[in-house]
Amino acid sequence: MKLNEVSVRYIKGIGPKKLKEFQKHGINTVEDLLYYFPHRYEDRRNFLSISQLKEGQSYTVKAKVIARGERRSFRKKGFRILEVVVSDGTQKLFCVWFNQPYLKEYFKAQTELILYGKVEIYAGRLQMNSPEFEIVEKDSSISLHIGRITPIYTLPKTISQRRFRQLIRFTLDKYITKINDFLPYDIRSRHNLLNIAKALINIHFPEEINLQKEAHRRLSFEEFFIFQIPLALRKLKNKLKPGIIHKTEGGFLEEFILTLPFRLTSAQQRVITEIKEDMAKAQPMHRLLQGDVGSGKTIVAIIASVIAIQGNYQVAFMVPTEILAKQHFLVIKERFSKLNRAINSALLISSLQKKEKERVYRQIKEGKIDIVVGTHALLEEEVQFRNLGLVIIDEQHKFGVGQRALLPKKGINPDVLIMTATPIPRSLAITIYGDMDFSVLDELPYGPRSVKTLLFSIEEANKAYVLAKEEIRKGRQVFIVYPVIEGSSRCDILGAQIMYEEFRKNEFKEFRIGLIHGRLRQAEQEKIIKKFQKHQLDILVTTTVLEVGIDLPNASCMIIQYAERFGLAQLHQLRGRVGRGSNTESLCILIADIQNEESHRRLEAMMKYNDGFRIAEEDLKIRGPGEFFGKRQHGLTELKIANPLIQLELLKLAKQEAFRLIHQDPQLVMPQHKLLKEKLIQRFPDYERLMVVG
Ligand code: ADP
Ligand code: MG
């Protein structure tokens, strides 16, 4: 029986109304229901007595209601407080709920409750604020809820813990013998993984703590494994493709490196060696280059381009914005101009005149262009290469997965180099980019960046402005960054536009001040950047258009307003815009609402660390992988139970097994892989297409 095809409607107790509620939470089938895991457990085999509770810790207790009452808050108007006093015979415990008067009905005298919450001492008495609670009823299924390790689920208000537990129990009893395990037996036995029935039973109703852990391990492995198989298949397919054997020796690469105005860092040299080896191979390169802002990725990309060009192949270099495309184009031209031979580069962006665009199209097609730098305009159908040998994609997270895949299709298995300045901890890189090889630029050309980061509350903003003025008087330049262009009453913050006007008239009226944001036309944006580059402006008020790659070395101070509204990785990228010049110390001032504990923690990480990898790790810990990457890209949110950050060893095992299995049976035709194949097709709508060779 395929449990992913049995609707939960057939489960006793789920009527049309509940059905709707469940569907809203993504539970459509019996399988969904069984894979709806508890978010925590309570050990209800023995309860502590209330007299044993300590302040500041969370506990589960069992006690009877002895009194309840309601009052209005003195401090907050219209605020209603429900107070319930419970006791287990040893001591009283006060429980309070705010503005939930309907709860009162539950707490009749003598009602027996299980309560879970943090114990505080308030006015000399023990108290729990808004504890989770369950009413102990003397029904037959009591063993589901008490006297055991009890699962606690994240549920909508309309479904009680007790009700849900009963449903799960019923579903397990009815269907557990009908579940087939799609994890092949040999893999399970190699790594001592529970079978699926035992895992599901023990994730919901663990017989003992150890079994819960085993269940967790098995189900986590399963998630990692399913995630890795398509990556393994993609990697295998890539390997089987006939790639270009690039000429890495005997061209003008050495000569080019000698023309550089600086010495390559040892990290750059190492990465170039890795790329060289890849490019010389008969299989297409598929490499991800990670490097902090300012680590010098561009020159690495240019050197890879030289390797392709010296063998008469063409290079396509795609970046997310027109400004960046132009900047890279200029850098590339400048670098190649030092070389004693003609290398033809072109720029391709949407804003080019039609005629100009057509000329570029024609020259690319005729092979007259060696390297073209552009935006997603490179993806247009009219762009056809004579012999595309290398694709480079910068700031890859700005492109969708689909967009990224399009460019290489314009050649015959060209080498692909993908670059990112958002560093990802290794465990996550394996999870989502397992089909690629990784390189890391872990060294900055001028040594560690010297940016001092300060955190001010909104009331202290003036202090930041004083510091900024000092910088300007020293001949340096300042950015002031806002999260939005226009403020709105909905998010109740001020935006770049209005503050630009304000600063110009008041705070910074003696200085030259400019404004840039994404809604300005490209030409306008560039004009302003140029002015700033030429030091015709002291201050640039901006939004996150500044985030990617633009090199403005004289800026030494950045003020980030409403810093709590940015992700950490984003803040770090922004900060990378200052402190690029060598000797002087730069300043990054975060102005934020620091009331909120989580944002405070995040911003503290910014002050503590200057290293993008450390910051990314912190960010991940605080926000979790789903939020970190944004929902859309990687399906990471579908990891319901597995966590790559804390289960790295298990992830590696799952990866190893997935790759082994795909090498052994890429089409999953062996009978022991039949269920797995079904599972993959169910999980990934594209999977069948991926299995087609070619
Ligand atoms: P990112 O990795 O952020 O893309 P870039 O490639 O833009 O960094 O490099 C940042 C700056 O450092 C550029 O001005 C570049 O010319 C310079 N640079 C790159 N490599 C070196 C090096 N080995 N020594 C000195 N400066 C370098
Ligand atoms: Mg860059």
Side-chain angles (χ1 to χ4, degrees), residues 1-11 23 26-35 171 175-176 178-182 196 200 222 226 640 674-685:
M1 182 184 285
K2 290 186 186 158
L3 298 186
N4 62 307
E5 289 171 5
V6 183
S7 164
V8 283
R9 162 179 349 146
Y10 300 117
I11 291 175
Q23 282 170 339
I27 303 176
N28 294 295
T29 66
V30 167
E31 186 180 271
D32 296 336
L33 189 60
L34 292 179
Y35 275 77
T171 312
Y175 292 100
I176 200 75
K178 305 199 169 84
I179 299 186
N180 299 313
D181 205 331
F182 69 83
I196 187 62
L200 285 174
E222 167 180 328
I226 283 287
K640 284 195 266 183
K674 180 168 168 282
L675 289 172
L676 175 62
K677 185 168 163 181
E678 285 173 12
K679 184 86 193 169
L680 286 159
I681 292 169
Q682 174 199 335
R683 251 312 282 283
F684 306 104

Short mmCIF file of all heavy atoms in Angstrom, two decimals, residues 1-11 23 26-35 171 175-176 178-182 196 200 222 226 640 674-685:
data_model
loop_
_atom_site.label_atom_id
_atom_site.label_comp_id
_atom_site.label_asym_id
_atom_site.label_seq_id
_atom_site.Cartn_x
_atom_site.Cartn_y
_atom_site.Cartn_z
N MET A 1 0.84 -1.20 0.00
CA MET A 1 0.00 0.00 0.00
C MET A 1 0.88 1.24 0.00
O MET A 1 1.89 1.32 0.69
CB MET A 1 -0.88 -0.01 1.25
CG MET A 1 -1.82 1.17 1.30
SD MET A 1 -2.78 1.20 2.83
CE MET A 1 -3.97 -0.09 2.52
N LYS A 2 0.50 2.23 -0.80
CA LYS A 2 1.30 3.46 -0.84
C LYS A 2 0.66 4.51 0.05
O LYS A 2 -0.38 5.07 -0.27
CB LYS A 2 1.39 3.98 -2.27
CG LYS A 2 2.23 3.09 -3.13
CD LYS A 2 2.43 3.68 -4.50
CE LYS A 2 3.16 2.66 -5.36
NZ LYS A 2 2.95 2.91 -6.79
N LEU A 3 1.29 4.74 1.16
CA LEU A 3 0.67 5.62 2.15
C LEU A 3 0.64 7.08 1.71
O LEU A 3 -0.09 7.88 2.24
CB LEU A 3 1.41 5.51 3.48
CG LEU A 3 1.35 4.11 4.08
CD1 LEU A 3 1.96 4.11 5.45
CD2 LEU A 3 -0.07 3.59 4.12
N ASN A 4 1.45 7.37 0.68
CA ASN A 4 1.38 8.74 0.17
C ASN A 4 0.18 8.91 -0.76
O ASN A 4 -0.05 9.98 -1.29
CB ASN A 4 2.67 9.11 -0.56
CG ASN A 4 2.90 8.23 -1.77
OD1 ASN A 4 2.88 7.01 -1.65
ND2 ASN A 4 3.09 8.85 -2.92
N GLU A 5 -0.55 7.81 -0.96
CA GLU A 5 -1.74 7.92 -1.79
C GLU A 5 -3.03 7.76 -0.99
O GLU A 5 -4.12 7.84 -1.53
CB GLU A 5 -1.68 6.90 -2.93
CG GLU A 5 -0.62 7.29 -3.96
CD GLU A 5 -0.36 6.23 -5.01
OE1 GLU A 5 -1.08 5.20 -5.01
OE2 GLU A 5 0.56 6.43 -5.81
N VAL A 6 -2.89 7.46 0.30
CA VAL A 6 -4.08 7.32 1.14
C VAL A 6 -4.37 8.64 1.83
O VAL A 6 -3.54 9.15 2.58
CB VAL A 6 -3.87 6.23 2.22
CG1 VAL A 6 -5.16 6.05 3.03
CG2 VAL A 6 -3.44 4.93 1.59
N SER A 7 -5.54 9.20 1.56
CA SER A 7 -5.88 10.48 2.16
C SER A 7 -6.13 10.33 3.65
O SER A 7 -6.64 9.30 4.11
CB SER A 7 -7.12 11.05 1.49
OG SER A 7 -7.66 12.08 2.30
N VAL A 8 -5.80 11.36 4.42
CA VAL A 8 -6.08 11.30 5.85
C VAL A 8 -7.58 11.31 6.13
O VAL A 8 -8.01 11.04 7.24
CB VAL A 8 -5.44 12.48 6.64
CG1 VAL A 8 -3.98 12.26 6.84
CG2 VAL A 8 -5.70 13.81 5.98
N ARG A 9 -8.35 11.62 5.12
CA ARG A 9 -9.81 11.60 5.27
C ARG A 9 -10.29 10.22 5.75
O ARG A 9 -11.30 10.10 6.41
CB ARG A 9 -10.41 11.95 3.91
CG ARG A 9 -11.83 11.59 3.70
CD ARG A 9 -12.31 12.03 2.32
NE ARG A 9 -11.34 12.91 1.62
CZ ARG A 9 -11.18 12.89 0.29
NH1 ARG A 9 -11.87 12.06 -0.47
NH2 ARG A 9 -10.33 13.71 -0.27
N TYR A 10 -9.53 9.16 5.41
CA TYR A 10 -9.97 7.81 5.80
C TYR A 10 -9.63 7.47 7.23
O TYR A 10 -9.85 6.36 7.69
CB TYR A 10 -9.37 6.78 4.85
CG TYR A 10 -9.80 7.02 3.43
CD1 TYR A 10 -8.87 7.35 2.44
CD2 TYR A 10 -11.16 6.98 3.08
CE1 TYR A 10 -9.27 7.61 1.15
CE2 TYR A 10 -11.56 7.25 1.80
CZ TYR A 10 -10.61 7.56 0.84
OH TYR A 10 -11.03 7.83 -0.44
N ILE A 11 -9.04 8.42 7.93
CA ILE A 11 -8.70 8.13 9.31
C ILE A 11 -9.85 8.51 10.22
O ILE A 11 -10.43 9.59 10.10
CB ILE A 11 -7.41 8.87 9.70
CG1 ILE A 11 -6.28 8.20 8.92
CG2 ILE A 11 -7.15 8.77 11.19
CD1 ILE A 11 -4.99 8.86 9.09
N GLN A 23 -5.02 20.03 5.93
CA GLN A 23 -4.46 20.35 4.62
C GLN A 23 -3.73 21.68 4.65
O GLN A 23 -2.71 21.85 4.00
CB GLN A 23 -5.57 20.35 3.56
CG GLN A 23 -5.94 18.92 3.18
CD GLN A 23 -7.19 18.85 2.34
OE1 GLN A 23 -8.01 19.76 2.34
NE2 GLN A 23 -7.35 17.74 1.62
N GLY A 26 -0.29 21.22 5.50
CA GLY A 26 0.49 20.33 4.65
C GLY A 26 0.29 18.85 4.93
O GLY A 26 1.05 18.02 4.46
N ILE A 27 -0.74 18.51 5.69
CA ILE A 27 -0.99 17.09 5.95
C ILE A 27 -2.15 16.62 5.08
O ILE A 27 -3.30 16.92 5.35
CB ILE A 27 -1.33 16.85 7.43
CG1 ILE A 27 -0.20 17.38 8.32
CG2 ILE A 27 -1.58 15.37 7.70
CD1 ILE A 27 -0.51 17.28 9.80
N ASN A 28 -1.81 15.95 4.01
CA ASN A 28 -2.85 15.45 3.11
C ASN A 28 -3.01 13.95 3.19
O ASN A 28 -4.09 13.42 3.09
CB ASN A 28 -2.52 15.83 1.67
CG ASN A 28 -2.56 17.33 1.46
OD1 ASN A 28 -3.61 17.94 1.59
ND2 ASN A 28 -1.41 17.92 1.20
N THR A 29 -1.91 13.27 3.36
CA THR A 29 -1.95 11.82 3.28
C THR A 29 -1.51 11.20 4.61
O THR A 29 -0.96 11.88 5.48
CB THR A 29 -0.98 11.32 2.19
OG1 THR A 29 0.35 11.63 2.62
CG2 THR A 29 -1.25 12.00 0.86
N VAL A 30 -1.73 9.91 4.70
CA VAL A 30 -1.31 9.18 5.88
C VAL A 30 0.19 9.33 6.09
O VAL A 30 0.68 9.49 7.20
CB VAL A 30 -1.70 7.69 5.74
CG1 VAL A 30 -1.00 6.84 6.78
CG2 VAL A 30 -3.21 7.55 5.83
N GLU A 31 0.91 9.33 4.98
CA GLU A 31 2.36 9.50 5.10
C GLU A 31 2.70 10.86 5.71
O GLU A 31 3.55 10.96 6.61
CB GLU A 31 3.01 9.37 3.73
CG GLU A 31 4.51 9.38 3.79
CD GLU A 31 5.14 9.25 2.41
OE1 GLU A 31 5.37 8.11 1.99
OE2 GLU A 31 5.36 10.28 1.75
N ASP A 32 2.02 11.90 5.23
CA ASP A 32 2.27 13.24 5.80
C ASP A 32 2.04 13.23 7.31
O ASP A 32 2.78 13.83 8.07
CB ASP A 32 1.33 14.29 5.19
CG ASP A 32 1.56 14.48 3.71
OD1 ASP A 32 2.68 14.19 3.25
OD2 ASP A 32 0.61 14.90 3.01
N LEU A 33 0.98 12.57 7.69
CA LEU A 33 0.63 12.55 9.11
C LEU A 33 1.72 11.86 9.93
O LEU A 33 2.16 12.36 10.96
CB LEU A 33 -0.72 11.85 9.29
CG LEU A 33 -1.35 11.92 10.67
CD1 LEU A 33 -1.61 13.36 11.09
CD2 LEU A 33 -2.67 11.15 10.70
N LEU A 34 2.16 10.71 9.44
CA LEU A 34 3.18 9.98 10.19
C LEU A 34 4.52 10.70 10.18
O LEU A 34 5.35 10.49 11.05
CB LEU A 34 3.33 8.56 9.64
CG LEU A 34 2.12 7.66 9.87
CD1 LEU A 34 2.35 6.28 9.26
CD2 LEU A 34 1.81 7.53 11.36
N TYR A 35 4.72 11.55 9.17
CA TYR A 35 5.96 12.33 9.10
C TYR A 35 5.81 13.71 9.73
O TYR A 35 6.64 14.58 9.53
CB TYR A 35 6.46 12.44 7.66
CG TYR A 35 7.29 11.24 7.24
CD1 TYR A 35 6.67 10.04 6.91
CD2 TYR A 35 8.67 11.30 7.21
CE1 TYR A 35 7.43 8.93 6.55
CE2 TYR A 35 9.44 10.21 6.84
CZ TYR A 35 8.81 9.02 6.51
OH TYR A 35 9.56 7.93 6.17
N THR A 171 -3.32 5.90 13.66
CA THR A 171 -2.75 5.76 12.33
C THR A 171 -1.58 4.78 12.34
O THR A 171 -1.44 3.93 11.45
CB THR A 171 -2.27 7.13 11.81
OG1 THR A 171 -3.31 8.07 12.01
CG2 THR A 171 -1.94 7.08 10.34
N TYR A 175 -1.68 1.40 10.13
CA TYR A 175 -0.91 1.38 8.88
C TYR A 175 0.54 0.92 9.02
O TYR A 175 1.19 0.66 8.02
CB TYR A 175 -0.91 2.77 8.23
CG TYR A 175 -2.27 3.17 7.71
CD1 TYR A 175 -3.09 4.04 8.43
CD2 TYR A 175 -2.74 2.67 6.49
CE1 TYR A 175 -4.33 4.41 7.95
CE2 TYR A 175 -3.99 3.03 6.00
CZ TYR A 175 -4.78 3.90 6.74
OH TYR A 175 -6.01 4.26 6.26
N ILE A 176 1.03 0.82 10.24
CA ILE A 176 2.48 0.64 10.38
C ILE A 176 2.97 -0.65 9.70
O ILE A 176 4.05 -0.68 9.12
CB ILE A 176 2.91 0.69 11.87
CG1 ILE A 176 4.41 0.98 11.97
CG2 ILE A 176 2.62 -0.60 12.61
CD1 ILE A 176 4.76 2.38 11.68
N LYS A 178 1.96 -1.80 7.10
CA LYS A 178 1.83 -1.70 5.64
C LYS A 178 2.89 -0.80 5.02
O LYS A 178 2.93 -0.62 3.81
CB LYS A 178 0.44 -1.15 5.29
CG LYS A 178 -0.68 -1.97 5.93
CD LYS A 178 -1.99 -1.73 5.23
CE LYS A 178 -3.05 -2.72 5.68
NZ LYS A 178 -3.72 -2.35 6.91
N ILE A 179 3.73 -0.22 5.88
CA ILE A 179 4.76 0.67 5.33
C ILE A 179 5.94 -0.14 4.83
O ILE A 179 6.43 -1.02 5.53
CB ILE A 179 5.28 1.64 6.41
CG1 ILE A 179 4.15 2.50 6.92
CG2 ILE A 179 6.39 2.52 5.85
CD1 ILE A 179 4.61 3.57 7.88
N ASN A 180 6.36 0.16 3.63
CA ASN A 180 7.56 -0.49 3.11
C ASN A 180 8.74 0.45 3.25
O ASN A 180 8.60 1.64 3.03
CB ASN A 180 7.36 -0.86 1.65
CG ASN A 180 6.21 -1.82 1.49
OD1 ASN A 180 6.11 -2.81 2.21
ND2 ASN A 180 5.30 -1.50 0.58
N ASP A 181 9.86 -0.11 3.57
CA ASP A 181 11.05 0.72 3.79
C ASP A 181 11.77 0.93 2.47
O ASP A 181 12.18 -0.02 1.82
CB ASP A 181 11.97 0.01 4.80
CG ASP A 181 12.87 1.01 5.50
OD1 ASP A 181 13.18 2.05 4.90
OD2 ASP A 181 13.23 0.74 6.66
N PHE A 182 11.91 2.18 2.09
CA PHE A 182 12.59 2.44 0.81
C PHE A 182 14.11 2.50 0.98
O PHE A 182 14.84 2.52 0.01
CB PHE A 182 12.07 3.72 0.15
CG PHE A 182 12.45 4.97 0.88
CD1 PHE A 182 13.70 5.56 0.67
CD2 PHE A 182 11.58 5.57 1.78
CE1 PHE A 182 14.06 6.71 1.35
CE2 PHE A 182 11.94 6.71 2.46
CZ PHE A 182 13.18 7.29 2.25
N ILE A 196 11.95 1.37 9.12
CA ILE A 196 11.05 2.52 9.11
C ILE A 196 9.92 2.40 10.14
O ILE A 196 9.57 3.38 10.80
CB ILE A 196 10.49 2.79 7.68
CG1 ILE A 196 9.71 4.10 7.65
CG2 ILE A 196 9.63 1.65 7.17
CD1 ILE A 196 10.53 5.31 7.96
N LEU A 200 9.37 5.15 13.04
CA LEU A 200 8.18 5.99 13.15
C LEU A 200 7.48 5.82 14.51
O LEU A 200 7.05 6.79 15.12
CB LEU A 200 7.20 5.70 12.01
CG LEU A 200 7.63 6.29 10.65
CD1 LEU A 200 6.69 5.83 9.54
CD2 LEU A 200 7.71 7.81 10.69
N GLU A 222 17.64 9.40 6.43
CA GLU A 222 16.72 9.26 5.30
C GLU A 222 16.58 10.58 4.55
O GLU A 222 16.64 10.64 3.33
CB GLU A 222 15.39 8.77 5.88
CG GLU A 222 14.23 8.83 4.96
CD GLU A 222 12.96 8.29 5.66
OE1 GLU A 222 13.06 7.38 6.51
OE2 GLU A 222 11.88 8.80 5.32
N ILE A 226 17.93 11.16 0.71
CA ILE A 226 17.04 11.55 -0.38
C ILE A 226 17.52 12.84 -1.05
O ILE A 226 17.44 13.00 -2.26
CB ILE A 226 15.61 11.75 0.18
CG1 ILE A 226 14.96 10.41 0.42
CG2 ILE A 226 14.75 12.58 -0.73
CD1 ILE A 226 14.56 9.71 -0.86
N LYS A 640 13.03 18.34 7.59
CA LYS A 640 12.15 18.56 8.73
C LYS A 640 12.82 18.17 10.04
O LYS A 640 12.51 18.69 11.09
CB LYS A 640 10.88 17.71 8.57
CG LYS A 640 9.94 18.32 7.55
CD LYS A 640 8.58 17.69 7.67
CE LYS A 640 8.48 16.54 6.69
NZ LYS A 640 7.19 15.89 6.67
N LYS A 674 13.64 -0.33 -6.13
CA LYS A 674 12.37 0.08 -6.75
C LYS A 674 11.62 1.10 -5.89
O LYS A 674 11.17 2.14 -6.38
CB LYS A 674 11.52 -1.18 -6.92
CG LYS A 674 10.17 -0.95 -7.55
CD LYS A 674 9.53 -2.27 -7.96
CE LYS A 674 8.08 -2.09 -8.34
NZ LYS A 674 7.18 -1.96 -7.18
N LEU A 675 11.54 0.82 -4.60
CA LEU A 675 10.82 1.74 -3.71
C LEU A 675 11.50 3.10 -3.63
O LEU A 675 10.86 4.14 -3.58
CB LEU A 675 10.72 1.14 -2.31
CG LEU A 675 9.79 -0.04 -2.17
CD1 LEU A 675 9.94 -0.66 -0.78
CD2 LEU A 675 8.35 0.38 -2.40
N LEU A 676 12.80 3.04 -3.63
CA LEU A 676 13.57 4.28 -3.56
C LEU A 676 13.27 5.15 -4.79
O LEU A 676 13.06 6.36 -4.69
CB LEU A 676 15.06 3.96 -3.48
CG LEU A 676 16.00 5.15 -3.51
CD1 LEU A 676 15.76 6.07 -2.33
CD2 LEU A 676 17.46 4.70 -3.53
N LYS A 677 13.23 4.49 -5.93
CA LYS A 677 12.95 5.23 -7.16
C LYS A 677 11.58 5.89 -7.09
O LYS A 677 11.42 7.07 -7.43
CB LYS A 677 13.02 4.26 -8.33
CG LYS A 677 12.88 4.91 -9.69
CD LYS A 677 13.26 3.89 -10.76
CE LYS A 677 12.76 4.30 -12.13
NZ LYS A 677 13.12 3.29 -13.12
N GLU A 678 10.61 5.15 -6.60
CA GLU A 678 9.26 5.73 -6.46
C GLU A 678 9.28 6.94 -5.54
O GLU A 678 8.66 7.97 -5.80
CB GLU A 678 8.29 4.69 -5.90
CG GLU A 678 7.86 3.66 -6.92
CD GLU A 678 7.03 2.55 -6.27
OE1 GLU A 678 6.61 2.72 -5.09
OE2 GLU A 678 6.83 1.53 -6.92
N LYS A 679 10.00 6.78 -4.46
CA LYS A 679 10.11 7.86 -3.48
C LYS A 679 10.71 9.12 -4.11
O LYS A 679 10.23 10.24 -3.90
CB LYS A 679 11.00 7.39 -2.34
CG LYS A 679 11.12 8.35 -1.21
CD LYS A 679 9.98 8.14 -0.27
CE LYS A 679 9.84 9.24 0.72
NZ LYS A 679 8.57 9.12 1.44
N LEU A 680 11.76 8.91 -4.89
CA LEU A 680 12.44 10.06 -5.50
C LEU A 680 11.53 10.78 -6.49
O LEU A 680 11.50 12.01 -6.56
CB LEU A 680 13.72 9.60 -6.19
CG LEU A 680 14.83 9.25 -5.22
CD1 LEU A 680 15.86 8.32 -5.86
CD2 LEU A 680 15.51 10.51 -4.70
N ILE A 681 10.79 9.98 -7.24
CA ILE A 681 9.88 10.59 -8.22
C ILE A 681 8.77 11.35 -7.50
O ILE A 681 8.34 12.42 -7.93
CB ILE A 681 9.33 9.51 -9.17
CG1 ILE A 681 10.48 9.00 -10.04
CG2 ILE A 681 8.21 10.06 -10.04
CD1 ILE A 681 10.17 7.76 -10.84
N GLN A 682 8.35 10.80 -6.38
CA GLN A 682 7.34 11.49 -5.57
C GLN A 682 7.90 12.80 -5.01
O GLN A 682 7.24 13.83 -5.05
CB GLN A 682 6.92 10.54 -4.44
CG GLN A 682 5.97 11.15 -3.41
CD GLN A 682 5.97 10.34 -2.11
OE1 GLN A 682 6.28 9.15 -2.10
NE2 GLN A 682 5.63 10.99 -1.01
N ARG A 683 9.12 12.76 -4.53
CA ARG A 683 9.71 13.94 -3.91
C ARG A 683 10.14 15.01 -4.91
O ARG A 683 9.94 16.20 -4.70
CB ARG A 683 10.96 13.53 -3.13
CG ARG A 683 10.90 13.56 -1.63
CD ARG A 683 10.35 14.79 -1.05
NE ARG A 683 11.29 15.92 -1.03
CZ ARG A 683 12.27 16.06 -0.16
NH1 ARG A 683 12.48 15.16 0.77
NH2 ARG A 683 13.06 17.09 -0.22
N PHE A 684 10.77 14.57 -5.99
CA PHE A 684 11.28 15.52 -6.97
C PHE A 684 10.59 15.32 -8.30
O PHE A 684 10.88 14.36 -9.02
CB PHE A 684 12.79 15.35 -7.16
CG PHE A 684 13.57 15.42 -5.89
CD1 PHE A 684 14.08 14.26 -5.30
CD2 PHE A 684 13.80 16.64 -5.26
CE1 PHE A 684 14.80 14.32 -4.12
CE2 PHE A 684 14.52 16.70 -4.07
CZ PHE A 684 15.02 15.54 -3.51
N PRO A 685 9.70 16.21 -8.66
CA PRO A 685 8.95 16.07 -9.90
C PRO A 685 9.87 15.91 -11.12
O PRO A 685 9.50 15.30 -12.11
CB PRO A 685 8.16 17.38 -10.00
CG PRO A 685 8.12 17.93 -8.61
CD PRO A 685 9.33 17.42 -7.91
#
